[in-house]
Amino acid sequence: MSATDQARSETIEALLTEERRFPPPPEFAANANVGPQVYPEADRDFEAFWAARARELEWEKAFTRVLEWQEPFARWFADGRLNITVNCLDRHVRSGKGSRVAYYFEGEPGDRRIVTYADLLRDVCQFANALRSLGIKAGDRVAIYMPMIPELPVAMLACERIGAAHSVIFGGFSPDAIVDRVTDAGCVLIITADFGWRRGKQVPLKDNCDAAMRHTPNVRHCIVFRRTGHEVSMHEGRDLWWHDVIRDQPDSCEPAALEAEQLLFILYTSGTTAKPKGIKHTTAGYLTGVATTHKYVFDVKDDDVYWCTADIGWVTGHSYIVYGPLCNGTTGILYEGTPDFPERDRFWAIAERYKVSILYTAPTAIRTFMKWGPEFPARHDLSSLRLLGTVGEPINPEAWMWYRDVIGGGRCPIVDTWWQTETGMIMITPLPGVTTTLPGSATQPFPGIYPDVVDERGASVPPGGGGYIVIRKPWPAMLRGIWGDDERYVQTYWSKFPHMYLAGDGCRRDDDGNYWFMGRIDDVMNVSGHRISTTEVESALVDHQAVAEAAVVGRTDAMTGQAISAFVLLKGAELGSEALAEELRAHVGTKLGRFTAPKYITFTNELPKTRSGKIMRRLLRDISEGRALGDTTTLADSSVVAELQTRAKAEAQKEE
Ligand code: WTA
């Protein structure tokens, strides 16, 4: 066993001996949207289970076929036709719920707007008509690069209204990252805003698009929403103001009756190579999956105020701010900015103001709140909360308990939800009225989901053991592949073990069948819940003129889960200075986005390599964690590591 595995297994031992158990409060269980019978119901016939959920949607043409499975390509409800916006908007308005609030919007500077379902429907129709008038048609791909304002879901839904697919690009990405994504997906239009607000500063979204559009000849237009009103340059003929394109557009728009398997969106995520993967999701199965999980996992009721604090630029926002909640007619919160603006109690001020009852956030945020201290939540009345959720990375039991006690007042169940961009929907999670929770465990598979933990040979590991998490049966919201690259789809997810979807996470199951996630087992880091590929950061570093070679690993970080640690070899004989390290961070920032800049940079004259020349990341991980080295027998030159250890240690001390 390597030192890494040793350390991991010790943490897992600690987790497995976790003795605290929290059964659902009886009153919660009595009123929950779903009870324990849902598990055997799904197990009797999982296709019938999902079909029954899909029939709760409104179909333009009912489906007769449920699952067509040509491994690894799934088609769900394929002969049906429907439109997502009808399910998310029209049917609520039609049934008299038009005045229900869809989003309480709060901008970072403090501006507020209430957006009802009727408002949203009108805005989506108008904007859909505008898109049509610009020549956007079914099957086209549209890039969206916007702040967290109501126009972002409006833009997404408007695409769906007419059958175009969106590719939302997180507002923290740099122009180069926009170019890669827009080019790969063949987008013909970019929708953006002049600026967005972030921690009191204006993020130049339009400028970033301008820089990107120099390299994206296929983009015909750029629609710009005026958010802050500061000046931006508008390219005659190409750039159009949002308010101009919707002017004179009718506020109704016939929804396209789309095939169940119509492409809904592409969302890029990091893999183990430098090229991000465009994960494809389609219409009916995805909506069935996210609406069902949203209803059961968050137990949403008509009078709840639900707040998922994610950014819509990531999958959590797609599934659990936009599609799941709107399909269920939920009242939600949309907040534009950071939790510490203007003060560190902003989240709690919002929760109090709107009487938030369900809060879904990330472990990294919870750990940050813990560090800031209980006085910030204590300033506000949080008694409206009744359910808490987390997503994005494993949550340490200490943070789980703090969340429960300090934020939830000891009375709210916590749902720790495991899933991925690829799975589209929550896969492993407690059901809050059913499952007994344990701090640090995502507990049980959602009904109708069939995961397993297997060893290196693909054999199921008995209770108490750990290995690779895999999924054994198709599920409705599963990815339909990687945009333009079926081969990579098969290679990445379906090749290691036959007939199993490989998620890329390590996991253990305890004697009661509870799942304990252990982080990624591939070269993907998880920094503040953002998936970042080591290779992507390495190529951004090597792109700098001074750098000859770079190796990047994730290092455990108390706040962000993992922090990026880079080992850098320069072209000359010199080692780099602190100034150069700063320059490299800025360089990675402009290549990829500021959130991917390495926290630690260790300059070196040599990297530890095997005799065949492969960089030994495992050793770099050990070095960067400051622990005993694992097996070094395959190392070409063993003197390299001692020196690196000393340097990395000095680097870490500087940071602390
Ligand atoms: C990690 C985010 C442990 C995991 C929805 C997964 C988690 C990756 C959890 C997907 C959790 C997400 N417990 N680990 N509750 N939730 N992860 O695609 O490593 O941005 O593979 O989707 O986040 O990240 P993605």
Side-chain angles (χ1 to χ4, degrees):
M1 189 189 278
S2 78
T4 325
D5 293 340
Q6 176 81 43
R8 269 199 190 148
S9 115
E10 277 161 18
T11 356
I12 291 304
E13 284 316 315
L15 289 174
L16 289 178
T17 52
E18 170 66 62
E19 287 194 345
R20 289 168 290 200
R21 298 276 183 289
F22 298 94
E27 210 198 329
F28 197 109
N31 295 305
N33 284 351
V34 69
Q37 74 291 349
V38 69
Y39 292 102
E41 182 203 337
D43 290 345
R44 267 195 301 278
D45 182 345
F46 85 107
E47 290 186 34
F49 171 79
W50 286 118
R53 299 306 170 287
R55 282 191 198 100
E56 292 168 15
L57 299 174
E58 184 172 312
W59 292 81
E60 183 62 36
K61 172 179 175 282
F63 61 91
T64 61
R65 302 205 291 270
V66 179
L67 170 64
E68 289 158 34
W69 181 229
Q70 285 194 308
E71 193 187 292
F73 296 94
R75 289 162 60 80
W76 284 86
F77 320 120
D79 62 342
R81 284 181 171 269
L82 80 178
N83 188 289
I84 280 195
T85 65
V86 169
N87 281 280
C88 290
L89 305 172
D90 303 59
R91 65 171 175 155
H92 303 318
V93 175
R94 237 189 283 125
S95 67
K97 294 178 193 153
S99 59
R100 180 181 290 183
V101 177
Y103 295 116
Y104 289 107
F105 166 69
E106 193 156 317
E108 196 186 72
D111 51 322
R112 293 175 204 161
R113 270 157 71 188
I114 290 178
V115 184
T116 66
Y117 276 89
D119 295 336
L120 208 50
L121 176 59
R122 182 203 55 224
D123 293 352
V124 166
C125 286
Q126 266 195 335
F127 197 65
N129 288 325
L131 293 179
R132 242 187 211 147
S133 73
L134 288 172
I136 302 298
K137 52 185 192 322
D140 282 348
R141 276 86 55 209
V142 172
I144 305 179
Y145 181 69
M146 288 189 94
M148 283 278 289
I149 56 177
E151 284 70 22
L152 170 50
V154 167
M156 295 162 77
L157 292 160
C159 289
E160 169 66 9
R161 189 82 175 173
I162 60 173
H166 56 73
S167 165
V168 180
I169 302 170
F170 171 59
F173 276 117
S174 68
D176 284 5
I178 302 174
V179 174
D180 291 346
R181 286 158 179 76
V182 166
T183 308
D184 185 73
C187 297
V188 292
L189 169 73
I190 302 182
I191 304 170
T192 189
D194 50 0
F195 297 87
W197 288 108
R198 191 175 162 80
R199 207 165 276 131
K201 294 210 179 70
Q202 296 193 46
V203 184
L205 299 172
K206 175 60 167 60
D207 282 359
N208 288 347
C209 289
D210 285 343
M213 281 186 289
R214 277 186 223 119
H215 310 281
T216 57
N218 293 331
V219 172
R220 300 194 299 258
H221 290 291
C222 177
I223 301 178
V224 187
F225 181 80
R226 184 173 278 152
R227 169 70 184 124
T228 72
H230 278 73
E231 197 161 317
V232 288
S233 66
M234 295 292 278
H235 188 299
E236 182 74 37
R238 184 195 67 188
D239 300 348
L240 306 158
W241 287 107
W242 178 295
H243 52 262
D244 288 335
V245 299
I246 60 166
R247 190 175 301 136
D248 305 329
Q249 291 295 349
D251 54 15
S252 67
C253 170
E254 193 57 34
L258 301 172
E259 291 197 7
E261 284 295 335
Q262 172 89 13
L263 181 68
L264 172 63
F265 66 82
I266 301 172
L267 185 59
Y268 285 83
T269 190
S270 294
T272 53
T273 72
K275 190 176 180 319
K277 303 175 280 198
I279 302 300
K280 290 196 287 188
H281 282 287
T282 58
T283 301
Y286 173 80
L287 191 64
T288 304
V290 297
T292 308
T293 45
H294 182 256
K295 191 158 149 193
Y296 293 178
V297 175
F298 299 109
D299 192 50
V300 275
K301 311 269 201 282
D302 282 354
D303 57 355
D304 272 310
V305 179
Y306 160 88
W307 186 15
C308 166
T309 70
D311 192 292
I312 293 177
W314 307 109
V315 75
T316 305
H318 282 59
S319 300
Y320 298 108
I321 298 179
V322 182
Y323 293 110
L326 293 180
C327 189
N328 290 328
T330 305
T331 293
I333 305 277
L334 199 60
Y335 170 56
E336 181 187 25
T338 59
D340 54 351
F341 192 86
E343 284 194 70
R344 290 175 166 183
D345 67 341
R346 184 65 183 268
F347 270 26
W348 318 120
I350 293 174
E352 178 177 26
R353 179 153 44 249
Y354 302 102
K355 301 200 167 34
V356 170
S357 52
I358 302 166
L359 178 70
Y360 188 31
T361 194
T364 182
I366 298 166
R367 289 192 300 267
T368 305
F369 299 139
M370 270 176 85
K371 187 176 125 195
W372 290 347
E375 58 272 27
F376 297 101
R379 286 184 194 165
H380 299 278
D381 175 7
L382 299 181
S383 60
S384 55
L385 287 171
R386 66 179 194 93
L387 177 66
L388 303 174
T390 83
V391 61
E393 54 175 312
I395 181 164
N396 46 312
E398 195 195 354
W400 196 100
M401 288 304 298
W402 189 90
Y403 195 29
R404 181 185 154 83
D405 292 338
V406 178
I407 304 305
R411 61 176 191 279
C412 308
I414 297 183
V415 288
D416 173 359
T417 62
W418 178 88
W419 59 293
Q420 309 177 293
T421 304
E422 293 87 338
T423 69
M425 60 185 262
I426 292 170
M427 301 292 276
I428 299 185
T429 176
L431 293 181
V434 179
T435 316
T436 292
T437 56
L438 304 80
S441 171
T443 70
Q444 303 281 335
F446 190 81
I449 299 297
Y450 300 93
D452 199 355
V453 175
V454 301
D455 65 18
E456 197 57 52
R457 291 168 302 120
S460 192
V461 171
Y468 300 87
I469 181 90
V470 296
I471 317 286
R472 286 188 179 274
K473 288 185 188 175
W475 63 101
M478 71 187 289
L479 73 167
R480 299 303 196 261
I482 297 175
W483 177 259
D485 203 344
D486 284 349
E487 175 57 33
R488 189 175 179 195
Y489 170 59
V490 172
Q491 202 54 42
T492 309
Y493 303 105
W494 299 92
S495 299
K496 189 169 173 78
F497 306 118
H499 316 305
M500 292 178 231
Y501 166 83
L502 179 76
D505 280 17
C507 185
R508 289 235 181 179
R509 249 180 327 204
D510 66 21
D511 293 336
D512 301 320
N514 289 307
Y515 287 70
W516 300 81
F517 284 91
M518 305 190 293
R520 302 287 308 185
I521 37 123
D522 52 14
D523 288 331
V524 177
M525 301 171 286
N526 187 329
V527 181
S528 298
H530 301 324
R531 273 165 74 172
I532 302 170
S533 140
T534 52
T535 338
E536 262 178 292
V537 179
E538 283 165 6
S539 18
L541 284 166
V542 175
D543 180 77
H544 188 281
Q545 47 167 8
V547 177
E549 201 174 7
V552 166
V553 295
R555 175 183 197 268
T556 310
D557 188 277
M559 213 48 67
T560 57
Q562 283 190 307
I564 304 180
S565 172
F567 295 84
V568 175
L569 207 96
L570 296 179
K571 281 181 181 152
E574 302 277 298
L575 289 178
S577 60
E578 192 40 52
L580 181 63
E582 262 320 300
E583 197 180 313
L584 293 181
R585 285 187 187 104
H587 187 75
V588 175
T590 34
K591 292 305 288 181
L592 284 174
R594 279 233 307 273
F595 65 103
T596 65
K599 180 168 177 184
Y600 305 95
I601 295 185
T602 305
F603 291 104
T604 173
N605 289 320
E606 218 161 339
L607 289 167
K609 290 189 179 163
T610 61
R611 287 181 197 99
S612 62
K614 266 189 90 172
I615 295 175
M616 293 185 69
R617 288 164 188 290
R618 183 172 52 72
L619 282 187
L620 288 176
R621 273 194 286 268
D622 290 343
I623 290 170
S624 117
E625 300 283 0
R627 60 181 174 233
L629 299 186
D631 183 9
T632 55
T633 49
T634 50
L635 198 59
D637 174 2
S638 57
S639 69
V640 176
V641 291
E643 202 182 324
L644 265 181
Q645 277 176 307
T646 324
R647 282 217 203 98
K649 204 163 156 196
E651 189 57 35
Q653 275 161 357
K654 242 190 293 174
E655 280 295 327
E656 276 136 28

